[in-house]
Amino acid sequence: MPIGSESGAGLAPDPVPEYAAWRKGVAGVLAKARRVEASELPAEPEHLLDETTYDGLTIAPLYTRRDELPEQPLPGAFPYVRGGTATRDPQRGWFVSAFAGAADAEATNRAILSGLENGVSAVALGVGAHGVTVEDVPVALRGLLFELAPLTLVAGKNTAEAAARVFEVLDGYEIADRAQIRVGLGAAPLTSAFTGADDLDEAAAVALAQRALARAETVRAITVDGIAFHNAGAADAQEVGAAIAAGLAYLRALTAAGVDIADAFGQLEFRFAATDDQFATIVKFRAARRLWARVAQVCGAPAFGAAPQHAVTSAAMMTQRDPWVNLLRTTLAAFGAGVGGADSVTVLPFDSALPAGELGVSQSFSERMARNIQLLLLEESRLGHVQDPAAGSWYVDALTDELAAKAWEFMQELEAAGGYQAALSAGLLAERIAETAAARGADVAHRKTAVTGVNEFPNLAEPPLSEQARAEASTVRYGAAFEALRNRSDAYLAAHGARPKALIVPLGPVAEHNARTIFTANVLASGGIESVNPGPLTLDGIAAAAAESGARIAVLCGADKRYGEEAGAAVDALRGAGIDTVLLAGPEKSVERYSGTQRPDGYLTLRIDAVAVLSQLLEKVGA
């Protein structure tokens, strides 16, 4: 974190002598915004602009040379913060991974080959409940050049059988250097136990790893799936810390079965979520490599601490409403993962939170958009050409250091509880993650955290969702609470031919009410309530506007001073015109002189729990 700027006798020269002038400027702006004297602010007023993450990390508004940390070793060198390999192809960058999982093996094969011809460079194959049958695995993989495109299985409880079929295919595949073939079998019993997904048990995963070790190809049997924690609501340090704890549990199981520690490290790879918070994503992948390297060092095998990292864009950040915005979210997420050093990246289609065909576009179109996001970043922006381009950023390096420490702390908490499995069985892991999910949910509900197109700038003209789309999902999507309100509005629309509506009552000239009018319309729309805005009204015109609107809810919008002069009469006029609920956009103190029926029924402010307030309004109109 930034330290004090002042230097004096006996102190080292300030490395950023202009910092004091910047601080003074900050103080001036903050004092004006808060309507206080600059002398009334803290000695370091810039810290009033600090933000705190869900992990408890502090994000400063400015990073300078004072935050500089020692330069990390080059990519491929312990502790691998800058990358797990020194020999990544700068023309390829990271691997562009795509999932293929149609039940029809021939269709899956066509999708795989078409993807490879159009920019995909790594394949994730769904088997069993996730795609083709075990017996059809060879059909799905027909024509795949294994040395060019790494393969990962997504097979759940069918992983061992699917792996056997892959091995059969590989046995008939001719290549001089079989180590060039990279296969991830995807066994994930420990993280699947957290989500309740069907998977191999731990013993079967260990046995599969022993089979993998006997292969000449580069095969990793086990995936430590941090996404399981992310999708439940985990913060970044929790996702990484829990994944490291699960990785430790796998190492113990493998070595207990007689696997050499170096070979045990070679059987693990990690999967993490990438979000539209691009800097947080960059930092997460860098910090995760650092922690796993530390585990390898403690185990006496530091040279084997560079496990591959797979990034998948966050399902939790995706929205059903205004889903086209997801194209922007996934672009930022892919950018963060690539810059952060992920070895492969999977971008979820922009409509992945919706049933196939919900938007009237083909699956191939959605998949092509997802693929082209990565190709634009790699081919046009050339992000893969420079390895770890964020290194040297005071912000990124400092946050990497702090996130690594916080994730290590969380891992130690799980270890102190008896290890990953014990913490899982005792409910500790789920409890900690649920606390974070609740805190994030509250921030979204209070609109402190924006979800564009959902709780900010919603589009009420969107077609209603299908019943299948409205079904609850296991992933804790950030905008789900607001989208549930929109579903209620859709149901009301279907039953009544119109959406729930509220009358906006602008008082005074536009300059007085415009900000609150826009704010109110935005809040109401996020709950599926349509605004009726007749334009600036005088007290004499309120009753007629209310009658014409047909609304049962009205919101007064104006300046505090005008509220003090006109709000009471305006409320009386609205009640007299049949309005059931009268709200005021602004603080209650602005109408404190009124009493009885002249007092509004509620207040819309920046700090309200919008989900709760909007839910109550929908109830009032029968939605």
Side-chain angles (χ1 to χ4, degrees):
M1 295 301 302
I3 59 176
S5 321
E6 292 75 21
S7 59
L11 298 178
D14 190 339
V16 189
E18 62 272 27
Y19 192 90
W22 175 80
R23 172 181 284 167
K24 183 177 180 181
V26 169
V29 172
L30 289 175
K32 183 176 180 180
R34 294 168 179 246
R35 299 179 181 177
V36 299
E37 295 296 324
S39 59
E40 299 177 56
L41 298 175
E44 298 180 344
E46 67 271 25
H47 292 309
L48 295 173
L49 300 174
D50 287 350
E51 292 186 356
T52 303
T53 71
Y54 292 110
D55 288 311
L57 305 182
T58 300
I59 308 297
L62 180 69
Y63 288 79
T64 69
R65 196 172 298 110
R66 298 145 173 237
D67 304 290
E68 189 170 20
L69 297 172
E71 183 177 351
Q72 290 288 339
L74 294 176
F78 181 90
Y80 311 108
V81 172
R82 303 199 60 192
T85 175
T87 58
R88 190 178 78 176
D89 183 354
Q91 300 305 317
R92 187 201 69 223
W94 62 85
F95 285 102
V96 177
S97 179
F99 175 78
D104 185 323
E106 293 288 353
T108 295
N109 179 251
R110 289 194 296 272
I112 289 174
L113 297 182
S114 174
L116 292 170
E117 291 170 356
N118 289 281
V120 170
S121 52
V123 176
L125 175 64
V127 182
H130 304 277
V132 303
T133 65
V134 171
E135 293 72 19
D136 281 339
V137 167
V139 176
L141 296 178
R142 186 190 305 131
L144 179 64
L145 299 178
F146 289 93
E147 69 273 25
L148 298 180
L151 171 67
T152 300
L153 294 180
V154 182
K157 64 181 180 180
N158 299 113
T159 298
E161 295 88 346
R165 298 295 282 172
V166 170
F167 292 158
E168 290 174 8
V169 172
L170 292 178
D171 287 341
Y173 191 83
E174 295 185 4
I175 183 175
D177 183 5
R178 303 197 68 80
Q180 291 184 41
I181 298 176
R182 285 164 287 187
V183 178
L185 302 180
L190 296 185
T191 47
S192 292
F194 176 79
T195 62
D198 285 335
D199 212 312
L200 301 180
D201 60 29
E202 185 178 336
V206 170
L208 185 61
Q210 291 173 316
R211 290 189 61 192
L213 284 167
R215 302 289 307 184
E217 302 86 7
T218 302
V219 183
R220 292 179 184 258
I222 296 171
T223 296
V224 185
D225 190 10
I227 293 176
F229 313 117
H230 171 84
N231 284 349
D236 290 338
Q238 292 175 325
E239 179 186 351
V240 173
I244 297 299
L248 275 168
Y250 284 126
L251 291 178
R252 292 181 179 120
L254 289 165
T255 54
V259 177
D260 177 76
I261 187 62
D263 288 338
F265 274 99
Q267 283 304 299
L268 271 60
E269 55 191 4
F270 287 82
R271 184 159 55 218
F272 294 110
T275 73
D276 52 359
D277 188 339
Q278 61 184 25
F279 287 109
T281 295
I282 292 169
V283 164
K284 176 162 63 176
F285 283 86
R286 298 173 93 241
R289 287 194 297 274
R290 176 174 173 176
L291 293 193
W292 193 239
R294 173 60 177 156
V295 170
Q297 182 185 44
V298 172
C299 292
F304 299 91
Q309 292 179 322
H310 303 280
V312 180
T313 56
S314 168
M317 73 177 179
M318 303 293 267
T319 65
Q320 293 185 326
R321 302 292 176 161
D322 214 353
W324 306 93
V325 180
N326 292 330
L327 289 165
L328 306 178
R329 293 187 176 98
T330 52
T331 299
L332 288 167
F335 175 95
V339 171
D343 297 286
S344 67
V345 178
T346 299
V347 171
L348 296 181
F350 74 96
D351 57 352
S352 60
L354 295 165
E358 179 78 16
L359 298 178
V361 300
S362 67
Q363 183 176 346
S364 61
F365 172 83
S366 301
E367 292 173 348
R368 181 166 65 88
M369 290 297 100
R371 179 175 66 243
N372 284 350
I373 283 171
Q374 295 202 62
L375 296 180
L376 184 150
L377 293 174
L378 287 168
E379 303 292 339
E380 295 188 35
S381 299
R382 295 180 60 77
L383 283 185
H385 189 74
V386 177
Q387 200 160 353
D388 192 28
S393 161
W394 296 314
Y395 171 37
V396 170
D397 284 344
L399 197 59
T400 298
D401 196 56
E402 293 170 12
L403 181 66
K406 186 64 70 171
W408 189 264
E409 179 183 312
F410 187 66
M411 179 274 291
Q412 288 181 315
E413 180 182 359
L414 301 181
E415 285 290 290
Y420 175 85
Q421 292 99 322
L424 177 63
S425 298
L428 173 65
L429 180 56
E431 179 184 339
R432 292 289 182 268
I433 291 175
E435 290 170 356
T436 301
R440 183 186 288 106
D443 283 347
V444 173
H446 287 79
R447 300 170 78 244
K448 180 180 177 181
T449 296
V451 183
T452 305
V454 178
N455 70 352
E456 289 283 7
F457 313 110
N459 176 15
L460 268 185
E462 287 180 287
L465 297 180
S466 66
E467 183 176 351
Q468 183 183 1
R470 295 195 299 268
E472 291 187 11
S474 57
T475 299
V476 182
R477 288 189 303 104
Y478 302 151
F482 280 94
E483 290 179 335
L485 298 176
R486 295 283 296 277
N487 291 341
R488 290 165 61 181
S489 173
D490 286 349
Y492 187 93
L493 172 64
H496 298 86
R499 291 196 180 279
K501 57 186 174 181
L503 173 68
I504 291 182
V505 183
L507 299 178
V510 172
E512 286 189 14
H513 65 68
N514 190 55
R516 282 175 170 165
T517 297
I518 293 173
F519 164 77
T520 298
N522 200 18
V523 171
L524 293 174
S526 68
I529 300 174
E530 182 181 351
S531 297
V532 179
N533 186 347
L537 294 172
T538 63
L539 292 176
D540 293 338
I542 289 177
E548 184 178 351
S549 73
R552 296 167 53 189
I553 300 167
V555 185
L556 297 176
C557 296
D560 288 358
K561 182 179 180 181
R562 189 169 296 276
Y563 286 157
E565 299 168 351
E566 300 181 6
V571 172
D572 279 341
L574 289 167
R575 295 198 195 282
I579 297 293
D580 298 330
T581 303
V582 180
L583 304 177
L584 181 139
E588 184 175 3
K589 67 180 182 180
S590 65
V591 291
E592 59 187 6
R593 78 181 188 88
Y594 299 110
S595 61
T597 59
Q598 286 195 322
R599 292 289 290 257
D601 300 307
Y603 305 88
L604 298 184
T605 68
L606 293 174
R607 295 180 175 85
I608 61 167
D609 182 338
V611 169
V613 170
L614 292 167
S615 181
Q616 292 169 3
L617 293 179
L618 289 173
E619 288 175 9
K620 289 179 183 294
V621 298

